[in-house]
Amino acid sequence: MLKSYEAYYDNGKLNWLGVPPHISKAKVIVVVEEDESDNIHDQSIKQLKGIAPKPDRAVSLEDMEAAIQNEGAKL
């Protein structure tokens, strides 16, 4: 089964934009999105601005990570 994860590549290292996959070894297919920008990570965050509704209470990092893992879960 194929699963996709988002990361950016920097000097030979993958930096995961979310929770990294829980695997120790795997065959991978790499698709490169060429970007002239120096700051890919900040650009990805800016693309997400305004997508999620503002929560009505304070939200912990753990709550945010759980919501991201549940794809679209409401806080």
Side-chain angles (χ1 to χ4, degrees):
M1 173 181 2
L2 295 176
K3 291 187 177 185
S4 62
Y5 300 90
E6 191 174 7
Y8 65 94
Y9 180 81
D10 187 16
N11 292 322
K13 182 177 178 185
L14 287 176
N15 297 295
W16 302 103
L17 295 178
V19 177
H22 299 289
I23 53 176
S24 59
K25 185 176 182 179
K27 179 179 178 180
V28 298
I29 300 169
V30 177
V31 177
V32 176
E33 178 181 3
E34 292 185 22
D35 190 333
E36 300 297 320
S37 173
D38 289 336
N39 204 338
I40 297 169
H41 183 72
D42 285 345
Q43 195 172 51
S44 294
I45 291 171
K46 287 177 186 174
Q47 290 171 350
L48 295 175
K49 184 177 180 182
I51 291 175
K54 185 175 180 179
D56 57 356
R57 61 179 173 81
V59 180
S60 71
L61 289 176
E62 291 81 12
D63 289 341
M64 284 188 247
E65 288 178 4
I68 290 167
Q69 291 303 311
N70 291 325
E71 295 182 294
K74 300 206 181 224
L75 298 174

